[in-house]
Amino acid sequence: FGSSKVHAQAWSVWFDTALISPFIIASNNLGVEMLSRRSSLLLAAFAVSTLGQENASGVTAGGRQLSCRNCCDRCGGAYCSPHSCHCYDTKRKPYYWTCGSAPPDPGVAPPQAPPNSGCLELLVIGDYGTRDTRQASIAEGLANVAAARDPAAIAAIGDNIYSSGAEGNEQNIVNWWANVYLKHSSLKRRWDVITGNHDWYSDARTERDFTWSQLNTQSGGHWQMPNFWYKKNFSSSSGISVDAFYIDTVIWRGSRVVDRSLHGDPKQEQLDWLRDELQKSSADWKIVLGHHPVYSAGSHGMSSTLLRELDPLLRQYGVPLYLAGHDHSKQVIYWEGVNYVISGAGGARPRRRSNEYPEGSLQHYFPDGGFVGITFCSKQKAHATIYDAHGVVQAVWPVENAAARSSNQYSNTASAKLAAAVPPVLPASHCGLVQLKSVDRFCSADGCQFLPDQMDGSCHDFCSAAGLRCARAWEQGAGICSQGIPMTCMQNASELFCECTPAQSQQIFLP
């Protein structure tokens, strides 16, 4: 199962295919979003990363090499400056401690001055609209870097306003975006915006339509969301061209609010659009930005829907970089030529870890606040820079451009085998004959136990809205898909674990 830094643990998981270990590292109490229609139970062995062991080769503090554990003990569970050691306690409990890498070599850190002519830069921030002093503090750090780096645009990749989006009121966007960020002159530039799951807790058309609102256009028109999915073209003075494809992963994964707000089949429209635009693009670089990650070490973990449906497109059309948020951390995961960079630390605080990523692929993990910069200085090489809340560089990761792969070339990769092991929607997203949407994670083979994403109250409210009956309810436990304190179906909580029951006529039986 890999290096000595990783412990092996077996989990019983429903799969359509044979053993897929060691492609993915899974969490304790793995949320079984990847489920099969077969009645036979296959034993899938997963490599489980021990928290506090990732990047455990030792970090430098005061001229001495310290182990991760010693580093965190020395820091006392708090974030230390980049000049000593990076220590975090994401849940204020010792067993959640994780150590980051040593400070980057000053020789490779981006200069604190405008970049050299010919380079193209984007800043990427997600999960930022928390309406608190933490958001405002990180906004200052973003402004400092924007002043130094002069990015072509700022990509805002979702959860723009907590906890329920704009709620039909454009003034909420003014209060919690414009008034927070545009008071900094360096942030008065183009913001390319997409939605996150919290933006779709209410009708996100308010955020889209703000693009043409007088409240936006009269202050410079910096907020740009021309559609829920769209393409932006960038070019540098040296001739480097970048096509950035912004997608709406809430629409892609399914949402009850989306169904109420949009007509037709927006998911299929978006998928067809992305495939066609990727195929037509002749840019030197193609990058895709969405809210939900494909893989993640954070609490939400991977999305089997995106792994099965989006990841093959990235590889087929030569996309070397997918940027996402959703998990409230900064991560770099590199797997078979694709760089999965997570920038979800713009305001929201991190929670427990899931460690759902291919074994050995996690390159950086920082659970403190901050954002990411992407710099293109040639047609072959770029780099991703991870910044802390103050705009201090924490890590720099090289990104190499990717060549498109034919379907035959892709089918022989480990990525293809892993995606093939994730079965189609049935029955993972169904409880009986009822398709469940707005679900963060399915936790049982019959699709009836799950972690709700968009809560409109209690488990009773969620189940009954789908035409089901609530059977049981809990608070979420410490692990992913673990049952915490039992609750009644009528009780509300910020993190619920629900079990619905279909009517007899809605039940399906697996062969």
Side-chain angles (χ1 to χ4, degrees), residues 86-103:
H86 297 281
C87 298
Y88 312 93
D89 177 5
T90 61
K91 293 289 288 185
R92 301 300 175 192
K93 295 180 180 179
Y95 49 83
Y96 282 103
W97 288 10
T98 309
C99 290
S101 58

Side-chain angles (χ1 to χ4, degrees), residues 71-84:
C71 171
C72 289
D73 288 343
R74 180 187 178 100
C75 291
Y79 171 66
C80 290
S81 76
H83 302 294
S84 58

Side-chain angles (χ1 to χ4, degrees), residues 177 189-191 211 216-224:
W177 173 74
R189 61 184 70 236
R190 194 174 92 195
W191 285 63
T211 302
N216 182 44
T217 57
Q218 290 180 354
S219 62
H222 303 296
W223 176 285
Q224 291 293 307

Side-chain angles (χ1 to χ4, degrees), residues 76-196:
Y79 171 66
C80 290
S81 76
H83 302 294
S84 58
C85 50
H86 297 281
C87 298
Y88 312 93
D89 177 5
T90 61
K91 293 289 288 185
R92 301 300 175 192
K93 295 180 180 179
Y95 49 83
Y96 282 103
W97 288 10
T98 309
C99 290
S101 58
D105 185 335
V108 300
Q112 295 302 308
N116 294 329
S117 176
C119 292
L120 177 69
E121 183 128 4
L122 302 175
L123 292 180
V124 184
I125 186 168
D127 303 78
Y128 59 91
T130 48
R131 308 188 186 200
D132 57 14
T133 56
R134 180 178 170 90
Q135 177 188 8
S137 175
I138 297 173
E140 291 185 10
L142 183 69
N144 292 338
V145 174
R149 306 294 297 164
D150 192 25
I154 297 170
I157 56 174
D159 285 1
N160 309 306
I161 306 175
Y162 282 91
S163 60
S164 298
E167 299 182 275
N169 186 354
E170 291 180 342
Q171 189 61 43
N172 283 330
I173 306 176
V174 174
N175 294 343
W176 303 111
W177 173 74
N179 291 348
V180 174
Y181 297 98
L182 300 188
K183 67 180 183 180
H184 302 283
S185 60
S186 63
L187 300 182
K188 291 181 178 179
R189 61 184 70 236
R190 194 174 92 195
W191 285 63
D192 294 332
V193 187
I194 53 177
T195 72

